[in-house]
Amino acid sequence: MSKYKRYRKIAPCIWNDEKFRKVSNEAKLVIFFLLTHPDLTQLGALRGNMPGLAYDLGVELKAFEEAFQEVLAQGMAKHDGAMLIWFPNFLKYNMPESPNVIRSWLGGFDDLPESPLKNEILQSAKATVDGLSGAFKQAFGEAFPKGFANQEQEQEQEQDKEGTDVPLSKSQGDCDVQVSAPPSEPEAGEEPEEQKEEPAPMPLQPETKPKSKAEKETEFAKAVVTLFNRVLVDEQPEGRKLPKVTKVTAQRVALVKARAKSCAELKQLAGWEAYFQLVSQCSYLLGVVKPWSASFDWLLNVNNFIKVSEGQYLDREAAGDKGGNGLATGLPELDRVKQYARQHGEKGVMGICKSLGFDPALYLKACSAELGAQ
């Protein structure tokens, strides 16, 4: 299945997941084996049987089945008992980056064996797409029109059965179930009207207008906010969660646009995820060092963005020497002043503070922090 996407995202936070940590090392191997299997589709499902998968992994069938049962017991995967395996949370970490990605889902979906679980996969994918913009929804409807038609038809049939006692009949040449009402009695002196079969109504196709530039920018900003909330809120343990973003304002859309304009990598969601992952490695920004934490707006400020991107807030140990115990203050600016002072002595500290644009009093504050940590 080389035509399908072979690159998938496995979030590092999986090692913090309670269910994942409960299973044995053999079960963990099975999870990674299935998530990176060449036949895994973009919906997180694959066709395979236990003997074949055990052979591919190079383990005994009994050992594979026992490990796989651990995975099923924790609800991390589902199995139809035959040939279909699915990871329900797969799309949460592999969101479609464009409507064309959704259109490409069809190929992998058609290759999956027929099963009630296959219908559940389609319903879950639709629920995921329903949370995205109109272009993604339209792409899903184009890729899976038959699925939508069958669902609507089943709903109509259920409603007809519950709401009428009129007999049901099938029109010639059409397998769709339709409701036929009894003919009305003609009044005296009138010729009975010839019963004509009404043509089936044509499905309405919604008119889609091309999105404006502003709409596209807002849509992209919403995707960036979703990434921020996932990486820096949902995936972080207590004590390291940043304030969750609940509104995408015009100001935030402008910030995202400005950063993407100045940094080519940020024109793609992958670049934003890499930036937020970098922030997740900065204890100071996550409020671990002080009762303050960075916000979404703070991280997108141009000056703060440059400092974070250059790694100035990354967790690190200062180069310990005779001048101190090597503990960082958690304030990168102060640490730079302290490092300069150790290399050049006290003389010149005032000058370096001014050249860096810092208040010289910050150096004294850094020294106090270091003494307090001793």
Side-chain angles (χ1 to χ4, degrees):
M1 292 189 179
S2 59
K3 60 183 178 180
Y4 302 134
K5 181 179 179 182
R6 290 181 174 270
Y7 296 96
R8 298 133 194 165
K9 298 175 183 177
I10 302 178
C13 67
I14 190 174
W15 295 101
N16 297 329
D17 185 86
E18 182 179 3
K19 295 180 180 179
F20 182 80
R21 294 174 64 183
K22 283 183 177 180
V23 301
S24 63
N25 290 335
E26 291 76 11
K28 291 183 175 70
L29 175 61
V30 168
I31 291 173
F32 286 127
F33 166 67
L34 295 176
L35 286 175
T36 56
H37 196 282
D39 292 344
L40 188 73
T41 68
Q42 291 173 280
L43 292 172
L46 77 155
R47 175 194 180 104
N49 55 45
M50 295 297 104
L53 293 173
Y55 179 82
D56 288 344
L57 187 56
V59 300
E60 296 293 333
L61 175 59
K62 182 178 179 181
F64 184 90
E65 289 178 336
E66 291 177 352
F68 185 62
Q69 286 301 321
E70 290 187 56
V71 179
L72 296 179
Q74 293 297 327
M76 302 184 72
K78 290 188 175 183
H79 186 217
D80 68 347
M83 296 284 292
L84 183 57
I85 300 172
W86 175 48
F87 288 91
N89 288 335
F90 182 83
L91 285 181
K92 178 180 178 182
Y93 300 99
N94 293 268
M95 295 290 286
E97 296 187 354
S98 70
N100 286 333
V101 173
I102 293 180
R103 295 185 179 95
S104 69
W105 287 353
L106 180 60
F109 183 78
D110 285 345
D111 288 343
L112 298 177
E114 293 300 327
S115 164
L117 182 58
K118 184 176 181 180
N119 295 332
E120 185 177 346
I121 294 172
L122 182 60
Q123 291 297 324
S124 177
K126 181 180 181 299
T128 299
V129 174
D130 283 344
L132 303 178
S133 65
F136 289 85
K137 297 177 184 177
Q138 180 183 356
F140 189 87
E142 294 172 357
F144 301 96
K146 184 177 179 181
F148 278 149
N150 290 339
Q151 295 166 22
E152 293 174 355
Q153 190 176 92
E154 291 174 0
Q155 293 174 359
E156 290 176 357
Q157 292 176 11
E158 291 297 328
Q159 292 173 359
D160 291 338
K161 291 178 181 179
E162 295 176 0
T164 180
D165 293 330
V166 179
L168 301 179
S169 65
K170 290 186 178 180
S171 58
Q172 295 181 355
D174 192 354
C175 63
D176 293 339
V177 177
Q178 298 179 348
V179 177
S180 57
S184 59
E185 294 293 335
E187 297 182 1
E190 289 184 351
E191 293 291 334
E193 294 182 0
E194 181 181 356
Q195 297 295 324
K196 296 182 180 180
E197 184 178 352
E198 295 184 359
M202 297 295 293
L204 297 177
Q205 297 293 337
E207 296 183 1
T208 57
K209 297 180 180 179
K211 291 186 177 180
S212 65
K213 183 178 180 181
E215 290 175 330
K216 293 180 180 179
E217 292 171 351
T218 300
E219 179 181 309
F220 186 75
K222 289 181 178 179
V224 172
V225 167
T226 300
L227 272 177
F228 172 88
N229 287 335
R230 175 170 66 81
V231 175
L232 295 175
V233 183
D234 298 338
E235 296 179 359
Q236 295 300 318
E238 292 299 329
R240 293 179 68 91
K241 296 179 181 288
L242 293 188
K244 189 171 187 177
V245 178
T246 59
K247 294 182 180 180
V248 181
T249 63
Q251 180 181 2
R252 286 169 174 165
V253 173
L255 283 172
V256 172
K257 177 183 176 182
R259 298 292 76 77
K261 184 176 181 180
S262 61
C263 181
E265 289 80 1
L266 297 185
K267 293 182 179 179
Q268 302 293 330
L269 291 178
W272 283 101
E273 182 168 8
Y275 176 60
F276 294 145
Q277 291 290 355
L278 177 65
V279 175
S280 70
Q281 302 175 46
C282 304
S283 296
Y284 179 72
L285 299 180
L286 299 182
V288 176
V289 178
K290 294 179 63 178
W292 171 89
S293 58
S295 65
F296 179 83
D297 300 330
W298 188 95
L299 291 172
L300 268 65
N301 174 274
V302 60
N303 294 325
N304 300 331
F305 173 79
I306 293 174
K307 293 177 183 178
V308 175
S309 299
E310 291 178 348
Q312 295 185 26
Y313 289 94
L314 280 174
D315 296 343
R316 66 187 186 280
E317 293 183 357
D321 56 14
K322 297 180 181 179
N325 59 6
L327 295 176
T329 65
L331 300 174
E333 296 88 347
L334 305 186
D335 291 337
R336 289 167 61 190
V337 177
K338 286 174 55 183
Q339 184 177 4
Y340 180 89
R342 289 170 179 164
Q343 294 175 350
H344 303 281
E346 295 295 332
K347 183 179 179 181
V349 171
M350 301 291 286
I352 191 61
C353 284
K354 292 181 179 179
S355 65
L356 293 175
F358 302 147
D359 185 341
L362 291 178
Y363 174 66
L364 298 177
K365 184 178 179 180
C367 291
S368 298
E370 182 177 20
L371 292 173
Q374 291 179 351

